[in-house]
């Protein structure tokens, strides 16, 4: 009898359809709410993405493997799994969630799930956006480190870091297997994107970093395992029914009839490769939530770094983002694991460092070492892309939307910043940050983050940047709340053409509330 290993994860939901992802321990038919899909095999593991059609506003469901009911588990005290279609009024988001057993303070997502269990359904979010670092491949738990040692038996692979697909799968089991998280992901549709720790710290920071990694004998297996597992565990569920129907890789995997791991590893290696300023695979995607549109940007794998170029994504992929930023909606949500608007001093410093790293000799080498040591790899460190994103956002903010919000994480403090363009835009433009969900940094970082928001530090670094040739910013921005520290989950409540950002600490305390949006001019 087949067993359920992980899931169900409720992934893509629209007005009448949904997809539900599961992992099982053997090949079987997976049936959910009367819809059946056959599992596909990757390595020693088995997965299915069940597509459900013609759904009403509320559908309770269970999971059956070869006809046997396996979920919800007998005696479960959790509310019944349910798929809700219709209006999206509340979106939860955040990033940087270390495994539950890591000693980094209370898990805000777990605490949020526990509160939802006792709340009426109309208070549940209709969407959850996870903005990177779902797993920490380079910082596993002590239990996982021991598991790796026992598994490898003295190989040359890096101690304390995962490399292969099965090892990445172990991380997902560890972080998503928590009972409260497992229930939450079964009832709230979830969109996901990776950040660096899903692969390795500083992933694709620069061409120098990339070459350093490629010279390591285990890196080829590392990137193959990382991207193959990301496709299975995260990316596949981001796709809607039409996208799945057109996806050639998904069709090949389903038709494989045998282990699809070699196929996925070959795909992963090609997805990592850069050729003539292009990448073969785009991980960015679009998701529509009624009158809100989510444009999720891959700020890691899509980077262009070779032949003197330095772009967050290729010109071709950016053009796709710009086309999809046009449309009829009330709220444009730009998902980016890395913030667009940062503390002013840190933003100017990153642009300044980018110029320094281009210099020959010791100056360029020193700037590169600083870049890697201080993680200077956000949008301002890719100045061409930073300015292009700014122009895209300004245009979208004058096309009829009420709000344009960039949803981000990564920086281990939470805040809201509002952009102000030379010509006032029709829409409110904000940077909304929630980080971390479960990974508190050392408290020594806190005064540094506060200082980086100060006016004096901003003037000093803006002056240095100007002297070095960094162009003037295309807009100004001001912090409206923050910096807030500690593990948190953010909520974005949508009400017609208005929106409100709320930051909830792991204790349930609301530590910030900012109203966004205004009536059209």
């Amino acid at each position: 009898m087949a067993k359920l290993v992980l899931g169900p994860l409720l992934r893509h939901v629209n007005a009448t359809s949904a997809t539900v992802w599961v992992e099982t321990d053997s090949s079987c038919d997976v049936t959910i709410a009367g819809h059946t899909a056959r599992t596909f095999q990757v390595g020693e593991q088995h997965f299915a993405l069940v597509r459900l059609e013609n759904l009403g506003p509320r559908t309770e469901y269970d999971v059956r493997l070869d006809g046997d009911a396996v979920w919800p588990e007998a005696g479960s005290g959790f509310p019944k799994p349910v798929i809700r279609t219709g209006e999206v009024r509340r979106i939860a988001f955040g990033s940087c969630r270390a495994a539950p057993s890591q000693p980094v303070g209370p898990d805000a997502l777990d605490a949020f799930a526990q509160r939802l269990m006792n709340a009426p359904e109309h208070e549940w979010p209709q969407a959850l956006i996870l903005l990177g670092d779902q797993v920490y491949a380079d910082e596993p738990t002590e239990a996982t480190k021991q598991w790796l040692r026992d598994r490898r038996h003295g190989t040359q692979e890096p101690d304390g870091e995962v490399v292969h697909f099965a090892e990445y799968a172990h991380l997902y089991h560890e972080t998503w297997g928590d009972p409260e998280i497992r229930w939450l992901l079964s009832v709230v549709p979830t969109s996901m994107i990776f950040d660096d720790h899903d692969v390795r710290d500083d992933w694709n920071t620069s061409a120098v970093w990339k070459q350093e990694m490629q010279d390591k004998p285990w890196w080829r297996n590392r990137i193959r395992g990382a991207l193959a597992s990301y496709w299975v565990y995260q990316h596949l569920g981001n796709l809607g029914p039409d996208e799945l129907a057109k996806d050639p890789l998904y069709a090949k995997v389903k038709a494989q009839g045998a282990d699809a791991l070699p196929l996925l590893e070959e795909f992963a290696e090609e997805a990592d490769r850069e050729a003539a300023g292009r990448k073969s695979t785009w991980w960015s995607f679009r998701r529509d939530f009624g009158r809100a549109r989510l444009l999720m940007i891959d700020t890691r794998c899509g980077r262009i770094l070779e032949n003197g170029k330095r772009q967050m994504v290729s010109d071709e992929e950016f053009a796709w983002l710009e086309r999809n930023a046009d449309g009829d909606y009330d709220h444009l949500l730009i998902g980016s694991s890395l913030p667009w608007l940062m503390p002013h001093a840190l933003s100017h410093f990153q642009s300044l460092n980018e110029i320094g790293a281009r210099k020959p000799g010791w100056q360029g080498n020193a700037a590169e070492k600083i870049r890697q040591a201080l993680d200077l790899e956000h949008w301002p460190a890719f100045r061409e892309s930073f300015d292009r994103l700014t122009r895209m956002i300004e245009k979208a903010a004058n096309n009829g939307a009420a709000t344009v919000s960039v949803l981000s994480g990564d920086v281990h403090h939470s805040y809201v910043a509002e952009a102000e363009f030379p010509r006032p835009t029709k829409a409110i433009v904000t940077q909304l940050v929630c980080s971390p969900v479960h990974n508190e940094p050392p408290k020594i970082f806190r005064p540094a983050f506060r200082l980086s928001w100060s006016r004096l530090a901003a003037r000093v670094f803006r002056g240095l940047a100007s002297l070095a040739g960094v162009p003037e910013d295309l807009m100004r921005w001001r912090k409206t709340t923050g910096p807030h520290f500690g593990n948190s989950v953010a909520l974005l409540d949508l009400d017609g053409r208005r929106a409100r950002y709320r930051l909830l600490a792991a204790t349930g305390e609301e530590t910030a509330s900012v109203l966004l949006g205004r009536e059209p001019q």
Side-chain angles (χ1 to χ4, degrees):
M1 174 180 171
K3 296 180 180 178
L4 188 65
V5 174
L6 194 60
L9 272 69
L10 181 58
R11 297 303 312 271
H12 193 285
V13 174
N14 59 26
T16 60
S17 69
T19 59
V20 180
W21 179 99
V22 300
E23 179 181 346
T24 66
D25 71 342
S26 59
S27 179
C28 62
D29 286 328
V30 181
T31 301
I32 297 174
H35 297 75
T36 300
R38 188 71 182 175
T39 57
F40 58 87
Q41 182 179 351
V42 182
E44 298 179 356
Q45 289 144 285
H46 303 263
F47 308 89
L49 189 68
V50 183
R51 178 175 169 177
L52 288 72
E53 300 286 356
N54 302 317
L55 296 176
R58 185 181 186 279
T59 304
E60 291 186 3
Y61 74 94
D62 62 11
V63 179
R64 297 174 181 269
L65 305 183
D66 287 337
D68 296 319
V70 297
W71 184 272
E73 297 172 336
S76 169
F78 294 95
K80 292 181 179 180
V82 61
I83 300 170
R84 297 165 297 148
T85 62
E87 185 180 8
V88 174
R89 303 179 308 279
R90 176 168 294 165
I91 297 172
F93 70 93
S95 82
C96 308
R97 181 173 177 266
S101 60
Q102 291 284 47
V104 286
D107 185 341
L109 195 63
D110 186 283
F112 181 62
Q114 292 184 50
R115 291 194 296 274
L116 290 186
M117 288 168 51
N118 299 309
E121 277 186 22
H122 70 267
E123 294 184 7
W124 299 359
Q126 289 82 32
L128 172 63
I129 302 174
L130 300 177
L131 292 161
D133 293 344
Q134 309 311 310
V135 294
Y136 281 73
D138 51 346
E139 299 178 12
T141 63
E142 290 302 319
T144 296
K145 289 179 182 178
Q146 186 59 54
W147 180 80
L148 290 171
R149 294 186 195 104
D150 295 342
R151 174 185 175 87
R152 288 172 173 171
H153 301 295
T155 67
Q156 296 302 308
E157 289 162 347
D159 184 45
E161 297 188 33
V162 304
V163 173
H164 301 286
F165 180 91
E167 296 171 355
Y168 273 95
H170 183 86
L171 296 184
Y172 284 105
H173 297 167
E174 191 174 43
T175 193
W176 287 350
D178 176 83
E180 288 79 14
I181 296 300
R182 198 169 176 181
W183 170 79
L184 177 68
L185 298 179
S186 76
V187 298
V188 179
T190 307
S191 305
M192 309 175 183
I193 196 69
F194 41 38
D195 199 19
D196 55 343
H197 290 286
D198 293 83
V199 177
R200 196 175 197 269
D201 187 31
D202 297 339
W203 179 30
N204 284 346
T205 290
S206 63
V208 172
W209 183 94
K210 190 173 182 179
Q211 187 59 58
E212 289 173 354
M213 289 299 105
Q214 289 174 342
D215 289 342
K216 296 184 183 299
W218 45 264
W219 178 252
R220 179 171 180 254
N221 285 333
R222 174 65 162 269
I223 199 66
R224 284 155 62 97
L227 294 184
S229 63
Y230 176 77
W231 185 88
V232 172
Y233 283 89
Q234 296 196 52
H235 181 69
L236 196 57
N238 290 328
L239 305 180
D242 293 341
E243 295 163 307
L244 285 169
K246 299 174 185 176
D247 190 292
L249 179 61
Y250 184 49
K252 288 179 182 178
V253 167
K254 289 197 301 179
Q256 188 79 358
D259 182 7
L261 182 56
L263 175 67
L264 289 177
E265 288 181 330
E266 180 181 348
F267 157 79
E269 194 164 14
E270 183 62 28
D272 178 59
R273 186 175 295 120
E274 178 183 335
R278 301 178 64 184
K279 289 290 186 74
S280 65
T281 297
W282 296 354
W283 303 101
S284 301
F285 61 92
R286 168 182 154 182
R287 192 86 174 258
D288 287 334
F289 302 117
R291 297 294 300 167
R293 173 170 298 175
L294 170 66
L295 277 184
M296 188 75 85
I297 305 177
D298 160 25
T299 59
R300 284 292 175 182
C301 193
R303 294 179 179 185
I304 303 301
L305 301 169
E306 298 175 1
N307 300 318
K309 290 190 175 183
R310 184 169 171 80
Q311 299 171 313
M312 194 66 85
V313 296
S314 69
D315 289 331
E316 188 177 13
E317 187 168 354
F318 221 127
W320 178 87
L321 292 166
E322 291 164 336
R323 290 194 301 273
N324 281 274
D326 289 335
D328 179 21
Y329 47 74
D330 291 330
H331 305 281
L332 176 62
L333 314 176
I334 299 174
S336 167
S337 65
L338 306 177
W340 164 56
L341 301 181
M342 303 189 69
H344 298 88
L346 185 54
S347 180
H348 302 324
F349 183 40
Q350 295 211 35
S351 298
L352 175 63
N353 174 264
E354 183 184 31
I355 288 179
R358 291 174 181 158
K359 294 181 178 180
W362 70 268
Q363 290 177 296
N365 292 335
E368 179 63 38
K369 290 183 185 299
I370 292 171
R371 170 192 278 165
Q372 293 190 30
L374 299 182
D375 293 343
L376 306 181
E377 51 179 343
H378 301 81
W379 283 95
F382 289 75
R383 186 64 194 214
E384 176 189 333
S385 299
F386 175 80
D387 288 342
R388 186 168 180 177
L389 179 63
T390 300
R391 289 190 291 268
M392 184 186 90
I393 288 172
E394 182 180 19
K395 180 182 177 183
N398 285 310
N399 281 352
T403 70
V404 178
S405 303
V406 180
L407 278 53
S408 302
D410 180 74
V411 290
H412 292 265
H413 70 291
S414 300
Y415 60 90
V416 175
E418 182 175 337
E420 299 172 343
F421 290 86
R423 289 187 177 183
T425 56
K426 295 178 180 179
I428 294 285
V429 176
T430 51
Q431 170 72 71
L432 310 179
V433 176
C434 178
S435 168
V437 169
H438 183 231
N439 192 11
E440 290 183 340
K443 287 185 170 53
I444 195 173
F445 285 13
R446 297 187 179 189
F449 285 135
R450 289 193 179 98
L451 178 63
S452 65
W453 278 110
S454 73
R455 291 182 180 180
L456 176 60
R459 286 197 296 268
V460 169
F461 281 98
R462 178 64 260 183
L464 292 173
S466 296
L467 288 173
V470 176
E472 290 295 323
D473 296 310
L474 300 176
M475 77 296 163
R476 297 184 178 185
W477 64 99
R478 59 184 180 88
K479 176 175 59 66
T480 57
T481 187
H484 301 284
F485 300 102
N487 297 329
S488 302
V489 171
L491 297 180
L492 186 63
D493 292 328
L494 306 177
D495 181 13
R497 291 179 61 81
R498 292 184 179 273
R500 181 177 292 275
Y501 166 95
R502 294 191 290 136
L503 189 67
L504 302 181
T507 60
E509 177 188 3
E510 185 173 287
T511 55
S513 178
V514 179
L515 181 64
L516 316 173
R518 59 190 171 215
E519 295 304 316
Q521 299 178 358

